[in-house]
Amino acid sequence: MPRHVRKGDNVIVTAGNFRGAVGEIVRVDGDNERVFVKFPNAVYDGVKRKPLVKTLKPTRVNPQGGQVALDRSFHLSNVSPVVDGKASRVRFPVKNDGSKARVAVKSGKELSLVRGPKARAPKKA
């Protein structure tokens, strides 16, 4: 069954402590049904939420220490693609030429192709 989100999609978190946060999918783990989301320009995305950065101690290699942005993981059911700034569900219509696409329900905008058109078998004489 095709997934409603893919690597590189902009998604919004729909449940949990990070609800409402928008980020980009870095990796999809199909075995555990999880996605890893990178949040741009986010340090502490609210009061109750956990920090989106990890503070590093100073070391010989990195004497200043610093902060590293974390990629958070979420279950597939807790993220939705962002279309026009809002979360949208996804449909998978099959076109007349046999190609299958991901289409946003709210706007009807095509997100991507799942598979291309099917090749026609040559007619037998």
Side-chain angles (χ1 to χ4, degrees):
M1 182 175 154
R3 303 278 184 215
H4 67 287
V5 290
R6 285 185 167 182
K7 178 181 173 181
D9 282 353
N10 284 330
V11 294
I12 188 166
V13 181
T14 56
N17 287 340
F18 289 92
R19 181 181 2 200
V22 178
E24 181 182 346
I25 294 183
V26 178
R27 183 166 58 110
V28 177
D29 183 6
D31 295 335
N32 297 324
E33 295 187 347
R34 298 193 73 79
V35 293
F36 292 84
V37 180
K38 180 178 183 177
F39 297 102
N41 303 327
V43 177
Y44 291 89
D45 203 20
V47 178
K48 290 184 177 180
R49 300 175 183 178
K50 294 180 182 177
L52 298 174
V53 295
K54 180 178 181 181
T55 304
L56 300 176
K57 283 186 171 182
T59 62
R60 197 176 66 173
V61 176
N62 186 9
Q64 289 295 317
Q67 293 182 332
V68 176
L70 293 175
D71 298 336
R72 310 291 286 180
S73 74
F74 299 97
H75 192 267
L76 274 172
S77 64
N78 292 337
V79 294
S80 294
V82 173
V83 178
D84 299 330
K86 294 185 179 181
S88 178
R89 291 171 296 151
V90 177
R91 288 198 177 119
F92 296 92
V94 178
K95 298 179 182 177
N96 291 337
D97 62 354
S99 62
K100 191 175 195 179
R102 288 189 317 139
V103 176
V105 171
K106 285 189 176 183
S107 65
K109 184 176 172 184
E110 186 172 313
L111 301 174
S112 69
L113 279 178
V114 176
R115 68 167 183 248
K118 291 186 176 180
R120 301 228 180 236
K123 293 184 178 179
K124 294 183 180 179

